[in-house]
Amino acid sequence: MNKSDQSSKKNFHDETAAFDGDTSNLNVSDGDILIKNGRIITVDPQNRIIDNGAVLIKSDIIIKIGSTAEMAGLNAACVIDAKSGIVMPGLVNTHTHLPMSLFRGFADDIPLITWLNDYIFKLEEKYIQPETVQCGTLLSCAEMLLSGTTTCCDGYFHEESVAEAVKKSGMRAVLGQGVIDFPAPGVVEPSLNVENAANYARRFKNRYPKITSSIFCHSPYTCSKETLISAKQAARDIGVLFQIHVAETKAEQEQMRQQYQTTAVKYLDDCGILDQNTLLVHTVWVTDEDIEIIRQRGSSISHNPESNMKLGSGIAPVLDFIRAGIPTGLGTDGSASNNNLDLFTEMDLAAKLHKIHRYDVGVLDVLSVVRMATIEGAKAIGLGDITGSIEIGKKADLIILDTHKPHLVPMYNPISHLVYSATGADVKDVIIDGKIVLNERKITTLDLDSILIKATEFAGHLIM
Amino acid sequence: MNKSDQSSKKNFHDETAAFDGDTSNLNVSDGDILIKNGRIITVDPQNRIIDNGAVLIKSDIIIKIGSTAEMAGLNAACVIDAKSGIVMPGLVNTHTHLPMSLFRGFADDIPLITWLNDYIFKLEEKYIQPETVQCGTLLSCAEMLLSGTTTCCDGYFHEESVAEAVKKSGMRAVLGQGVIDFPAPGVVEPSLNVENAANYARRFKNRYPKITSSIFCHSPYTCSKETLISAKQAARDIGVLFQIHVAETKAEQEQMRQQYQTTAVKYLDDCGILDQNTLLVHTVWVTDEDIEIIRQRGSSISHNPESNMKLGSGIAPVLDFIRAGIPTGLGTDGSASNNNLDLFTEMDLAAKLHKIHRYDVGVLDVLSVVRMATIEGAKAIGLGDITGSIEIGKKADLIILDTHKPHLVPMYNPISHLVYSATGADVKDVIIDGKIVLNERKITTLDLDSILIKATEFAGHLIM
């Protein structure tokens, strides 16, 4: 991120910004939704902010952006008054395990390997089926909509059931079927895991307009070399994103050194895994050489600071990723290791974590953090051309924050408030693909009460 | 904190807990407020939780705690149905600079000394008067009530105006007049600073029932030895809490070594500052010997993790404070260096920060964190006997959380959810001193709209 991207209260406000796209010929039925009286945080390449701005949406596309005054005469079936609140791109969560919200708070403050082996894998074996996957996914989607996330990138099992639930919610998503070299939910025979994932990825690649399929290998320490290579080959053949947890803990890094005399990243590179369609998740224990390899291959990174802190895993060298130009997004991880899916608190923590890590208040400025949670995250999961910013021609994925609240008043710098002061609860409305999916904090696509009842019932039956 | 204080889902649930106080003779007009159907997190010495519990309040006091069933026959003028939500002690914020919410987000990501000298001190000189202090304090009180804080400990200038505003809000508070060896708001002549603070402390010690006065010396590097000694002597004579920022940054610690050949804590101890009525704030750069001195003197600590991270100051050795038995509370610091007053997100960050610092998921368990934000904080500011826990005979300072939300369902362990999943926006009702001050998220004591309008007007006039 270069100098011009740095946060500065003064130089990126631009009420009279000339936006691309000649819209002088807008006419007749101008658009479907007009959002007016908003502080528009575009997160476009110039990071423009329009202080009293408006956005016009037609069908699923943003067709005009400007001042409320100059767009006063335009027609729209639905007019939303943002009441001086913030209008910004919907947030992009680059790493989730959606069904795991059913296990949130069941077992905290336990080392990652113990947590996985003694709790999560056992719970999953016993309780994860298509129905429970749908239940947990709907719960997570409700939470994400209520906290301003419009796009997520998931990896789990029974991913076809995740896809059906996400479709109901109206969210945009990249959904990866999990691959692991031991029996897992939905795949009793590990040798069929890659084939199963490839079948899913093929069937769901274009099944639903807002959902893209993906293949998610759990990690270099739970998948053999053969599994990794064949799973990546399948993802390449089908043309979908390949995701993998890598270099999450020091123990993993040591295991890789002992077993393969190399780093986790170099091992994956030796397997031919790294290319422009690979998302590396966590990437905490990496060397400068690893970072250079990631950069050269064009792979992306999902940074999960809350999970990494909660599990005591370590602090990823995010400043180096950004400096190298590697697309780096924010992720919450599953809500059982966070324990929420709120990307606003994730932004706050990311901004603070790297300052304390380097003892330098100047690093990871607020604008870089907002970009990680929006456009950089979208780029990281391959959706940078269609979502993650408010620009003409992009999909209408945006959120409106109610800023008439004591923790957001006065507002000298909206970017600062987004990172350091706001939480997901400040999100008032959410629009995805031109559809209003959260209206004055009411989810329009899901029956929230029935989701909460089912999730409570699930927990009532849980026995370990 | 001993073993029995550790968080464990199983051993501290106790639906049939026998609470102290024979209440069999409760009769006639039993109480004023009955809260029923709540998950009562008492934070009492046994950390008892009552899963379907009730609390009876008479006047300003908690007079009965038990199961909803056994308390069904009691009379109360007002019955609040907690609807299975969490009922817990109101949170205690052990370090604030309430009026500074007016400056939130004005200047971020700048080193502490530059931030103070080039921004904050200049802004204060120009804009801080009794009226603006009231405006900022009301704004902060509104934010605290909306996020479940019932008690705070403040240090600022024009503290009599802070007190008037806090009184309006209905909050409980310890309010310290600031002392600093250069011209400050309200005190043009630094030599009169201690006298001014002492006068305030004397006048406001018992002026209002829920407010206690205090004297707040800014730091060992902005107050001379003489100032420190006379200010502490005044606090001792009047019988009020003495507060001071200490060992916040590495630069401060180095300055103390160069100037006095000792640590900041030992320097203060040499001045006779440390006793049971002294609150040390930040306390980041301290040695094992410093900690032992603090323990021996019986002083308390305010831990401000978000501020320390945001300003890149460092990580306080909180585990060592707790192990030494030093009363250690949580504080947000002023909202201009946080940037909010939400103690729920502060708890989340505290729990995670120390895990990553030690690379150990087992440290600073969730129950210890909730205790820091409630009873330990109350003890740290000298109010442990009257607030910070739900116990018979204590002041009725408590909050109710709406947990019928996707990020709080299911709930295996409510303590985990309080720390890792909830935010202040989940607080539904707040009761302070037996009065309902937040009712279904409406503040009953303040006119929120007029506060927000005045704060916005203030910011509109700000020129630097």
Side-chain angles (χ1 to χ4, degrees), chain A residues 317-422:
Chain A
V318 165
L319 305 174
D320 299 329
F321 300 154
I322 293 176
R323 200 173 299 123
I326 298 168
T328 303
L330 272 186
T332 56
D333 208 348
S335 52
S337 47
N338 187 303
N339 287 345
N340 61 60
L341 301 173
D342 185 339
L343 279 174
F344 284 94
T345 54
E346 198 81 31
M347 282 197 278
D348 178 51
L349 194 139
K352 287 171 178 157
L353 177 62
H354 297 282
K355 288 175 175 61
I356 196 69
H357 187 214
R358 308 270 176 143
Y359 289 114
D360 184 349
V361 298
V363 303
L364 210 57
D365 63 286
V366 288
L367 182 58
S368 298
V369 176
V370 169
R371 290 186 63 87
M372 283 172 73
T374 53
I375 186 64
E376 297 299 324
K379 288 180 193 169
I381 61 172
L383 300 181
D385 290 339
I386 64 167
T387 192
S389 60
I390 298 182
E391 294 181 76
I392 290 167
K394 273 198 151 179
K395 294 286 187 185
D397 294 352
L398 35 81
I399 64 178
I400 304 173
L401 276 75
D402 175 4
T403 58
H404 190 67
K405 300 184 176 186
H407 64 289
L408 300 174
V409 169
M411 187 180 293
Y412 301 103
N413 176 355
I415 304 287
S416 166
H417 276 13
L418 290 178
V419 173
Y420 291 131
S421 309

Side-chain angles (χ1 to χ4, degrees), chain B residues 30 65 75 103 108 164 170 187 191 223 271 333 338 343 345 386:
Chain B
D30 290 314
I65 306 163
N75 293 308
F103 302 133
D108 290 311
E164 298 299 342
V187 184
S191 66
C223 294
C271 296
D333 207 348
N338 187 304
L343 280 173
T345 54
I386 65 166

Side-chain angles (χ1 to χ4, degrees), chain A residues 22 44 196 216 329 397 438 441:
Chain A
D22 180 12
D44 70 5
N196 175 54
F216 162 62
D397 294 352
L438 187 78
R441 290 200 68 70

